[in-house]
Amino acid sequence: MRSFFEYNWQVRDDWLEWCEQISTKELLKPRTGGPGSILYTLFHVIEVEYSWIKAIRGKEDEVIPFEQYDTLEQLKKLSNDCRAEIMKFIEKGLFGNKNESVYVSWENQSYTKDEILHHLIAHEIHHIGQLSVWARELEFKPVSAHFIGRTEHGRS
Amino acid sequence: MRSFFEYNWQVRDDWLEWCEQISTKELLKPRTGGPGSILYTLFHVIEVEYSWIKAIRGKEDEVIPFEQYDTLEQLKKLSNDCRAEIMKFIEKGLFGNKNESVYVSWENQSYTKDEILHHLIAHEIHHIGQLSVWARELEFKPVSAHFIGRTEHGRS
């Protein structure tokens, strides 16, 4: 479980670096098939991870406004700040007691911690897959998505 | 680990059903940003999962030719046949002894079983993310990727 989070964070960092070569206009351009622009998609995975983990922690939900994080620099800072907070919680035992029930206010429903952690892992990998299509459509090489080695493989 | 495999298989089945509404021409059309066409991408996740799990089982690698599975019916059969074989292996303990070292012939390298299982899970979710972009580009609603509930959520 933890290794999937570390994988997602590494891939996310690589995408945030990848964005450095793309113009702000292209980064903010609405795109077909994902939550919005490239920057908004990255914002979305950060925000969703942070919100669900806040729910696990029993903290109140707060909506993070994209308008405050719509530059690459601000988004990198948001990713780092959210991750630092999540890391502290990991050290306190995020990955323990997986059958614990968690109330999720925006769905008015409860899930097990285990379900939420699975959801978050799949959620980020899925959206990163969308970024990889847009990257090729922009004629840029996408970040490697390989869990093993993180380099190109013959068979993938 | 097992629940991610079950999630991927369910999502894959849903995509194979989703394909029923798309013309053969569109299903086989080369697309930007993934391994190839929609059908080839689905073939690719089936073939990669099967090959790496064969490596875990210590079986010799065999290349499955796409040309034999380039219709929806043949691909569904391939997915079901490979899965049935993998299920048998799961019952014999696929998810045990995760630190076991596995030799992978096409890379002439060894990985732990745990690394390979993580790789396969992320691999399929990533490519499914690519399908979701192409679906919207074709103006069709993609299959839900949600691990929780498998329905649309406000926050995702």
Side-chain angles (χ1 to χ4, degrees), chain B residues 42-150:
Chain B
L42 286 162
F43 168 80
H44 173 71
V45 296
I46 297 164
E47 197 261 346
V48 164
E49 179 181 85
Y50 186 68
S51 302
W52 285 84
I53 289 187
K54 254 190 139 178
I56 292 177
R57 296 163 67 198
K59 303 274 184 196
E60 207 168 316
D61 184 38
E62 80 186 286
V63 174
I64 303 174
F66 177 58
E67 298 66 34
Q68 289 175 20
Y69 299 96
D70 59 359
T71 70
L72 196 48
E73 283 320 299
Q74 284 160 331
L75 205 55
K76 282 184 183 179
K77 185 174 176 341
L78 180 69
S79 182
N80 289 336
D81 289 351
C82 289
R83 188 179 315 171
E85 208 175 309
I86 293 167
M87 280 304 289
K88 272 192 212 155
F89 189 53
I90 285 178
E91 281 155 25
K92 284 186 192 160
L94 171 63
F95 298 117
N97 311 316
K98 294 215 178 74
N99 295 320
E100 196 184 311
S101 181
V102 173
Y103 176 71
V104 180
S105 63
W106 61 89
E107 295 200 12
N108 192 23
Q109 212 168 323
S110 293
Y111 300 103
T112 66
K113 205 162 82 173
D114 200 44
E115 285 174 320
I116 293 175
L117 295 174
H118 277 80
H119 179 65
L120 291 178
I121 290 163
H123 183 258
E124 182 149 353
I125 302 172
H126 180 79
H127 285 306
I128 292 296
Q130 297 173 332
L131 292 186
S132 75
V133 172
W134 297 337
R136 289 284 185 202
E137 288 176 348
L138 285 166
E139 299 184 356
F140 282 85
K141 191 181 170 199
V143 167
S144 167
H146 289 286
F147 187 91
I148 285 179
R150 310 285 333 282

Side-chain angles (χ1 to χ4, degrees), chain A residues 22-154:
Chain A
I22 310 294
S23 71
T24 306
K25 192 181 159 201
E26 285 292 351
L27 289 177
L28 289 170
K29 189 175 156 185
R31 292 183 193 275
T32 301
S37 64
I38 292 173
L39 273 200
Y40 185 79
T41 301
L42 287 162
F43 167 80
H44 173 70
V45 295
I46 296 164
E47 197 261 345
V48 164
E49 179 180 85
Y50 186 68
S51 303
W52 285 84
I53 289 186
K54 254 189 140 179
I56 292 177
R57 295 162 68 199
K59 303 273 185 197
E60 207 169 316
D61 185 36
E62 76 183 291
V63 173
I64 303 174
F66 177 58
E67 298 66 35
Q68 288 174 23
Y69 298 97
D70 60 358
T71 70
L72 196 48
E73 282 323 298
Q74 285 160 331
L75 204 55
K76 282 184 183 178
K77 188 175 174 337
L78 180 69
S79 182
N80 289 336
D81 290 351
C82 290
R83 189 180 316 172
E85 210 176 307
I86 293 167
M87 279 304 289
K88 273 192 210 155
F89 188 53
I90 286 179
E91 282 155 25
K92 285 186 192 159
L94 170 63
F95 298 116
N97 310 319
K98 293 215 179 77
N99 294 322
E100 197 185 309
S101 181
V102 173
Y103 176 71
V104 180
S105 63
W106 61 89
E107 295 200 11
N108 191 26
Q109 211 167 324
S110 293
Y111 300 103
T112 67
K113 206 162 81 172
D114 200 44
E115 285 173 321
I116 294 175
L117 295 174
H118 277 79
H119 178 65
L120 291 177
I121 290 163
H123 182 258
E124 183 149 354
I125 301 172
H126 181 79
H127 285 306
I128 293 295
Q130 297 173 332
L131 292 185
S132 74
V133 172
W134 298 337
R136 290 285 185 200
E137 286 176 348
L138 286 165
E139 298 184 355
F140 282 84
K141 190 182 170 198
V143 167
S144 167
H146 288 286
F147 188 92
I148 285 179
R150 309 285 334 282
T151 55
E152 290 298 331
H153 290 276

Side-chain angles (χ1 to χ4, degrees), chain B residues 5-41:
Chain B
F5 272 83
E6 286 166 353
Y7 160 80
N8 269 340
W9 289 340
Q10 180 60 56
V11 173
R12 190 198 299 168
D13 281 348
D14 290 351
W15 275 102
L16 287 165
E17 280 310 307
W18 178 95
C19 286
E20 294 282 1
Q21 66 193 320
I22 311 294
S23 70
T24 307
K25 192 181 158 201
E26 284 295 349
L27 289 177
L28 289 170
K29 190 175 156 185
R31 293 184 192 272
T32 301
S37 65
I38 292 172
L39 274 201
Y40 184 80
T41 300

